[in-house]
Amino acid sequence: MRGSRFGALALLTVCALVPTAGGAVAAPPAVGPDATALRAALDRVTATGAVGAVADRQGGAVWRGSSGKSRLNGRQAAPVDGRFRAGSVTKTFTATVVLQLAGEGRLRLSDTAERWLPGLVPAPGGDKITVRELLQHASGLPEYTDGLLDGDAPHDRFRTWTPAELVRRAVKDGDRNRPLLFPPGTDHHYSNTDYIVLGMIIEKVTGRSYRTEIDQRIIRPLALRDTRLPGSSPFLTGPHSHGYEPVEKEDGTLVPVDYTTVNMSIAGAAGEIISLSSAELFAA
């Protein structure tokens, strides 16, 4: 997964990037002066090969629309109110819980990961990584997803991963300790590993999983009824668009494979969240 990686997987579900026949499906009535331009932009996305595209605009007048279909070779329009994998938006929820715990005096941003998770990062300098550096992607931890993905999708999409297994992939190469990318706090490198570690710290501090803490502290108080952390459940329930990954066959041709059903324990506290729309995630 390129870039933010788990943000990329979220895109696969919302905007399935494989060739498909058929014209754009009209979006529902929109409000505001940007409606025509926004609908045209979605139509351009599907015209260039996406199965479907869904978007909403917040601030002032609310606009929601879709173009294309919910499934390759299907007839149903991409649902405006469909659920999707929101990927790296999960990090915002994880960070919020960490900051709340700091505000409650249960941890400090200057605490080291070593304090809460002794021996987790055996590389030289690993015992110096702070909670603040994990939040800021300044830890120097390598990316654990390297070698786990086929393009933007997991090789083994039904496997359940534990956070400890994921971190081990980042800090170990067989029996050897992998070095940090840089001394903690001296540079920045986007790494999903940082947020897997933060999820583990939340559990150590509270005695409850990061999923439970996010649910109790954020999702329920804000009544985000269509936002959830699925854990090892691979299913998207309710209305949703399907996501596809182009997989190369032995003869070099690309075949779209439906990756809508996938165990997102591989993303954990870095990217597993499911929601209804950006309105659900950000309006509250």
Side-chain angles (χ1 to χ4, degrees), residues 2 29 85 94 97 129 139 159 186 195 212 223 233 248 262 284:
R2 295 169 289 277
R85 301 189 187 279
T94 300
V97 172
I129 296 170
S139 70
R159 173 173 172 171
T186 65
Y195 277 73
T212 298
S233 173
E248 187 173 354
V262 57

Side-chain angles (χ1 to χ4, degrees), residues 54-112:
V54 180
D56 61 41
R57 175 187 179 276
Q58 304 298 316
V62 174
W63 183 90
R64 297 176 183 172
S66 69
S67 180
K69 303 175 182 179
S70 65
R71 183 193 297 261
L72 184 66
N73 299 323
R75 295 184 178 181
Q76 183 179 3
V80 174
D81 60 349
R83 292 177 177 85
F84 67 98
R85 301 189 187 279
S88 288
V89 171
T90 311
K91 293 180 176 67
T92 305
F93 287 71
T94 300
T96 298
V97 172
V98 171
L99 293 173
Q100 287 180 349
L101 292 172
E104 295 163 7
R106 300 176 70 179
L107 60 74
R108 295 176 299 178
L109 299 185
S110 59
D111 285 349
T112 62

